[in-house]
Amino acid sequence: MLWKDFNQGIIKENPVLRLMIGLCPTLAVSSNAVNALGMSVAVAFVLICSNWVIAAIRKITPDQIRIPIFIIIISTFVTISDYVMQAYTPELYQALGVFVPLIVVNCIILGRAEAFAYKNPVLNSILDGAGMSLGFALALISLGVVREILGAGTVFGLALFNPAVAATIMVLPPGAFIAIGVLMAALNKFENKVQ
Amino acid sequence: MINSLKMGLILAVFCVIAASGLAYVYQFTQPRIESNARLTMENSKKEVLPASGKGRALAVTVRGYGGEIELLVGIDQQERISGLKVLSHKETPGLGANIVRPDFLGQFKGKKRTDPLEAKKDIDAISGATISSRAVCNGVKDALERFQSGNN
């Protein structure tokens, strides 16, 4: 049961590729692998912590005001990660820019709070958060790596081939849509085969 | 009525807890954030000035494609650009964001006020990011003007 809570977010209910939520930051920051990794870590921190706190206080949270309470909790953790990144990883903070504060409105986090953490015990909720974060990271980093290789000829900043032959479109917004479409198709194909 | 008061109160309690938590985190990250900013500024100044350290580093802000671009322009005593660094920007990743690359910024080195300093003339613009490239050119021009008027 616990394993299932962790597991489902990775492939079966992958937030980006299956539930199709959190697409805005996914498309925006996956233009290179390092940003994708940094964003994944920040989202994982916020999602696990908010799931944990929301599950812990779910019995004393009045139903009518649960959404504002979720938002307070989520934005608190987002601000914490914002300060910490600013203090300890200033370069990454600069690269991610506005998308760190925007984690507040990332549908994955509020979605998991409402759909899972509010109805389940603490441990299950933490595992759900961890699994969903891993699924998000998986989708984001594979997009980041693919787009960076095709679009800039580098991976994690290391040059692979002459950037002059790279398809710049891949690091631009259209490239994000192309890459995510192909990735979804590949995942569907893979799942059909397994079944 | 009573109920909404109660809800408001509960919400207020949550806010107070969240705010005190944040105040705590702020307290111990703030000194580091400030010292980071200072350190970056000092290092940037060293980077843009000539090895002798003589000259002036001017910070200029110009309007780019995605928002403001903050530049630090180093000018040596012969009124030539000795170095250039982007302190902050909000340009498009993969396009305008390439203004931070050394092969773009390096082109400005040695330029004088009398040079045209225009994208696609004496400066190779970044492909797909003419507006961002032009903004950097304008910033450098501004800095040279300011240096000039400051000296006379």
Side-chain angles (χ1 to χ4, degrees):
Chain A
M1 192 56 204
L2 280 178
W3 172 245
K4 202 189 131 254
D5 288 335
F6 174 70
N7 204 14
Q8 64 175 7
I10 301 174
I11 302 272
K12 221 175 125 240
E13 279 189 30
N14 185 299
V16 176
L17 302 172
R18 271 291 135 80
L19 307 181
M20 310 270 273
I21 51 178
L23 287 179
C24 171
T26 304
L27 297 172
V29 302
S30 64
S31 61
N32 71 58
V34 175
N35 288 2
L37 184 67
M39 188 66 183
S40 305
V41 173
V43 167
F45 168 76
V46 174
L47 184 53
I48 294 170
C49 292
S50 68
N51 261 12
W52 162 49
V53 174
I54 288 164
I57 59 158
R58 70 186 189 283
K59 290 195 178 118
I60 56 161
T61 309
D63 217 34
Q64 304 103 295
I65 53 165
R66 66 181 192 287
I67 301 289
I69 288 178
F70 294 167
I71 299 285
I72 293 169
I73 292 167
I74 294 167
S75 56
T76 305
F77 284 116
V78 170
T79 314
I80 290 176
S81 67
D82 189 84
Y83 286 159
V84 170
M85 282 175 105
Q86 222 175 327
Y88 297 97
T89 55
E91 278 126 37
L92 185 66
Y93 179 80
Q94 269 235 316
L96 294 180
V98 73
F99 288 100
V100 178
L102 278 181
I103 296 173
V104 174
V105 287
N106 188 322
C107 319
I108 298 172
I109 294 164
L110 191 60
R112 291 328 285 172
E114 174 78 1
F116 197 93
Y118 192 55
K119 300 171 189 143
N120 287 284
V122 173
L123 190 59
N124 301 55
S125 301
I126 293 177
L127 287 172
D128 176 76
M132 284 288 162
S133 308
L134 203 60
F136 181 68
L138 218 61
L140 201 57
I141 295 170
S142 23
L143 273 175
V145 168
V146 168
R147 289 179 63 195
E148 193 184 338
I149 292 176
L150 297 179
T154 59
V155 62
F156 284 103
L158 300 167
L160 289 182
F161 53 83
N162 185 355
V165 296
T168 313
I169 189 173
M170 290 309 290
V171 292
L172 302 181
F177 287 102
I178 296 169
I180 202 168
V182 172
L183 201 61
M184 275 174 192
L187 188 69
N188 286 342
K189 177 96 183 161
F190 169 77
E191 271 220 329
N192 287 342
K193 243 186 200 152
V194 170
Q195 282 165 4
Chain B
M1 180 61 199
I2 296 292
N3 190 45
S4 29
L5 272 179
K6 199 180 133 202
M7 293 300 146
L9 211 65
I10 296 175
L11 212 50
V13 170
F14 273 100
C15 288
V16 168
I17 297 172
S20 15
L22 277 183
Y24 179 71
V25 177
Y26 182 80
Q27 220 171 28
F28 78 86
T29 50
Q30 201 53 25
R32 229 193 131 94
I33 293 172
E34 272 164 20
S35 76
N36 273 347
R38 247 199 328 271
L39 204 73
T40 325
M41 197 61 188
E42 272 166 32
N43 285 341
S44 311
K45 270 188 183 155
K46 247 182 245 163
E47 257 176 71
V48 298
L49 288 176
S52 64
K54 284 181 185 151
R56 263 175 73 197
L58 292 171
V60 284
T61 308
V62 281
R63 208 151 171 85
Y65 183 75
E68 288 186 335
I69 303 175
E70 263 188 284
L71 296 168
L72 192 69
V73 186
I75 301 170
D76 67 14
Q77 287 167 315
Q78 284 80 44
E79 290 185 37
R80 286 179 316 211
I81 301 293
S82 55
L84 180 59
K85 195 177 155 77
V86 179
L87 295 177
S88 75
H89 71 86
K90 298 188 182 70
E91 305 303 289
T92 321
L95 275 184
N98 284 338
I99 53 169
V100 302
R101 288 167 72 132
D103 50 345
F104 173 70
L105 293 179
Q107 299 182 79
F108 291 91
K109 208 168 167 165
K111 294 279 181 204
K112 292 187 295 288
R113 205 170 61 92
T114 44
D115 284 318
L117 278 168
E118 244 173 77
K120 293 177 176 174
K121 274 192 186 161
D122 55 337
I123 301 290
D124 283 331
I126 293 160
S127 49
T130 316
I131 296 179
S132 312
S133 311
R134 214 172 271 157
V136 176
C137 293
N138 289 339
V140 173
K141 244 186 254 177
D142 275 0
L144 284 167
E145 295 291 336
R146 256 174 53 197
F147 185 83
Q148 174 82 6
S149 55
N151 268 11
N152 296 337

